[in-house]
């Protein structure tokens, strides 16, 4: 698609996408088709095939054949890196197209998406370096007669199930790292936001990835996703989504082939603000931490835990910031928060807002839908006087809803922060280095931010403590997770005989 032909206006007709197997786009044929309506405009924007379990079998078979004949895993790291670098160029070249269709399917702002897709270029570039630097270990200290080598091998066929909140970004936090060591992939994007995964298939093939190494099966989680979790020929599965579905995946893996799992699940992430913080900076950061992507991030900073002496003043500073966020049309380049992506999520968020009101929390800001003429939009919302037992303080809302809970002492702040089943991310705002370090050491979270929030990039690994998941994605660990470790003992010279 010619990039210059993309205009920031609604398409005249929904675009048809296929799914992607063995290096080729497969049209829907006589399969059922999903028609995705833009959650911001209520018009159909894309059409994608509803694949069946038989389609999944075909994709897994293609990935298995590609893995078994070593067309990718047998290449040198340098050759794999060359393909990943070309894919980075391909993403750069089609950035506007990916951002446009994802804005329509997800309701995210176009300006935000350009940044996200640009970040994915960096993921491929960084993983290309890792393809060349991945290595094992050796033991030269086992005596004159023995040498030990530890090598890393790709796991095999890797399934990747992704959610609707960061369709392209979450995929690209996994795909280049999984490919770096030589695995084959079958991806199952969310039924609501599948287009960008299919475009990635085209980009990878154009970059020279051999056929069958990357496949995309579009379809419904409860059927195709569940079948992937149960599949005996999928060696590892990376799942990102709700903790509820994560439990089903663990059960399915245990009941089938004990496939290795990577899980990135929910979060209820604290933003701890001390009175000695740069409060202007912190207020902007807290507003960004909950407002970005309409709060539909697993790492959203949803719980503001603020020192009591400044709690009221600081909550007002955050409210002033959040009241200025531009909510609106995702295709408008000035929009900061777009639509709520799914109807179910919209209902869930509004339900929690009602629950917050009925539980006795104080509504400081927002608390209602925003009428934009079409689509589903929710005003940035803050609840004050939130106690730890309230559902809005304990459960993942996954929307632009911030709760405010004051604390008196550092120990109490840490206790409140850890009083959750989750452990995905946390932020601390203070100019006191001792407090910052004490909090980062004692709060249980896989990602931590000090005097900033939601920072990221390809270098640092991501993942959660507690019920937020297993394993790590991205960084060097993001490649190592998708390898098996093999230990080899090598006899030098003649063995001491056991018999005679
Ligand atoms: P899900 O966990 O249902 O969906 C995530 C992915 O899993 C989608 O691709 C989905 O497919 C697929 N899926 C659904 N059921 C199964 C299954 N039985 N086996 C295998 N795959 C399956 O999340 P929801 O979209 O329902 O969101 C619900 C809640 O999850 C949110 O409110 C939020 O709290 C949390 N969430 C967390 C995310 C995170 O980044 N950690 C991301 C998204 C949601 P399909 O789209 O077809 O259903």
């Amino acid at each position: 698609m010619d990039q210059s032909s993309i205009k920031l206006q609604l398409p005249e007709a929904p675009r048809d996408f296929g799914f992607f197997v063995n290096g080729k786009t497969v049209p829907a044929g006589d399969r059922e088709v999903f028609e995705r309506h833009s959650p911001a405009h209520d018009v159909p924007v894309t059409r994608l095939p509803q694949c069946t379990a038989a389609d999944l079998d075909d994709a897994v078979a293609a990935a298995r054949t590609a893995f078994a004949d070593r067309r990718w895993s047998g290449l040198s790291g340098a050759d794999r890196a060359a393909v990943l670098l070309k894919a980075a160029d391909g993403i750069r070249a089609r950035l506007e197209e990916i951002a446009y269709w994802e804005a329509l399917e997800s309701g995210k702002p176009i300006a935000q998406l350009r940044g996200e897709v640009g970040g994915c270029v960096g993921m491929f570039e960084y993983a290309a370096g890792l393809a060349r630097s991945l290595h094992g270990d050796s033991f030269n200290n086992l005596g004159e007669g023995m040498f030990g080598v530890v090598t890393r091998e790709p796991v095999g066929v890797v399934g990747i199930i992704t959610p609707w909140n960061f369709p392209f970004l979450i995929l690209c936090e996994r795909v280049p790292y999984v490919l770096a060591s030589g695995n084959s992939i079958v991806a199952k994007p969310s039924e609501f936001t599948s287009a960008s995964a299919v475009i990635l298939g085209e980009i990878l093939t154009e970059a020279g990835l051999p056929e069958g190494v990357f496949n995309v099966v579009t379809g419904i989680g409860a059927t195709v996703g569940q079948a992937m979790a149960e599949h005996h020929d999928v060696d590892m599965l990376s799942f990102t989504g709700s903790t509820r579905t994560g439990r089903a995946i663990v059960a399915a893996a245990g009941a089938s082939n004990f496939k290795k799992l990577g899980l990135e699940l929910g979060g209820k992430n604290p933003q701890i603000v001390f009175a000695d913080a740069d409060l202007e900076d912190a207020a902007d950061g807290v507003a960004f931490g909950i407002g970005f992507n309409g709060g539909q991030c697993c790492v959203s900073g949803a719980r503001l835990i603020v020192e009591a002496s400044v709690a009221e003043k600081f909550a007002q500073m955050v409210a002033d910031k959040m009241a200025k966020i531009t909510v609106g049309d995702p295709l408008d380049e000035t929009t900061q928060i777009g639509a709520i992506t799914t109807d179910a999520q919209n209902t869930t968020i509004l339900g929690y807002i009602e629950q917050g009101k009925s539980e006795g929390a104080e509504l400081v800001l927002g608390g209602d839908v925003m009428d934009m003429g079409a689509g589903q939009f929710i005003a940035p919302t803050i609840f004050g006087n939130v106690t730890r037992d309230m559902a809005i303080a304990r459960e993942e809302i996954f929307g632009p809803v911030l709760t405010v809970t004051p604390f008196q002492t550092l120990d109490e702040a840490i206790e409140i922060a850890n009083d959750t089943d989750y452990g995905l991310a946390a932020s601390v705002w203070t100019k006191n280095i001792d407090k910052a370090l004490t909090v980062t050491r004692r709060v249980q979270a896989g990602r931590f931010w000090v005097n900033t929030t939601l920072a990221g990039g390809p270098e640092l690994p991501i993942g959660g403590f507690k019920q937020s998941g297993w394993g790590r994605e991205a960084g060097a660990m993001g490649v190592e997770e998708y390898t098996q470790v093999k230990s080899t003992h090598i006899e030098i010279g003649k063995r001491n005989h056991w018999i005679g």
Side-chain angles (χ1 to χ4, degrees), residues 34 160-166 170 188-193 219-229 237 239-246 248-249 252 264-267 296-299 342 344-345 348-349 352 395-399 422 424 468:
F34 299 110
I160 302 181
I161 298 178
T162 49
W164 42 259
N165 58 338
F166 289 94
I170 288 179
K188 205 298 284 177
S190 165
E191 67 189 82
F192 305 107
T193 54
I220 296 174
T223 54
V224 177
Q226 181 73 26
M228 187 184 272
L237 178 57
F239 170 77
T240 309
S242 63
T243 299
R244 175 182 45 78
T245 307
I249 301 267
E264 194 180 325
L265 308 173
Q296 300 168 108
C297 312
C298 50
V299 291
T342 71
Q345 192 57 38
T348 300
I349 299 168
Y352 275 115
E395 294 167 24
E396 188 179 40
I397 300 175
F398 225 61
Y422 296 112
L424 199 56
S468 290

Side-chain angles (χ1 to χ4, degrees), residues 19-23 51-67 156-162 171 174-175 178-179 183-189 197 200-201 204 209 211-219 224-225 227-229 231 233-239 259 482:
F19 61 109
F20 196 84
V21 175
N22 241 336
C51 292
T52 60
D55 294 322
L56 175 73
D57 287 343
D58 290 346
V60 172
R64 174 61 60 197
T65 302
F67 186 70
V157 174
V158 175
I160 302 181
I161 298 178
T162 49
L171 194 63
R174 285 140 184 81
V175 167
V178 175
L179 290 178
N183 294 293
S184 299
I185 294 175
V186 180
K188 205 298 284 177
L200 183 62
L204 285 166
L209 189 75
E211 287 176 4
V213 178
F214 180 77
N215 308 275
V216 180
V217 178
T218 52
V224 177
M228 187 184 272
H231 210 291
D233 214 19
V234 172
D235 301 301
M236 180 164 177
L237 178 57
S238 162
F239 170 77
K259 56 182 63 62
Y482 294 91

Side-chain angles (χ1 to χ4, degrees), residues 398-455:
F398 225 61
V401 182
L402 181 72
T403 62
V404 185
T405 306
F407 71 83
Q408 299 287 348
T409 65
L410 181 141
D411 283 341
E412 191 193 5
I414 292 169
E415 198 193 310
I416 298 170
N418 282 334
D419 185 14
T420 168
D421 292 335
Y422 296 112
L424 199 56
S427 304
V428 58
W429 302 82
T430 173
K431 288 296 175 191
N432 180 315
I433 185 75
D434 296 347
K435 286 183 195 166
L437 286 175
T438 303
V439 169
T440 51
R441 281 182 171 183
R442 286 175 46 197
V443 171
Q444 295 163 299
R447 297 173 78 180
F448 231 105
W449 293 289
V450 178
N451 292 327
T452 188
T453 197
L454 304 187

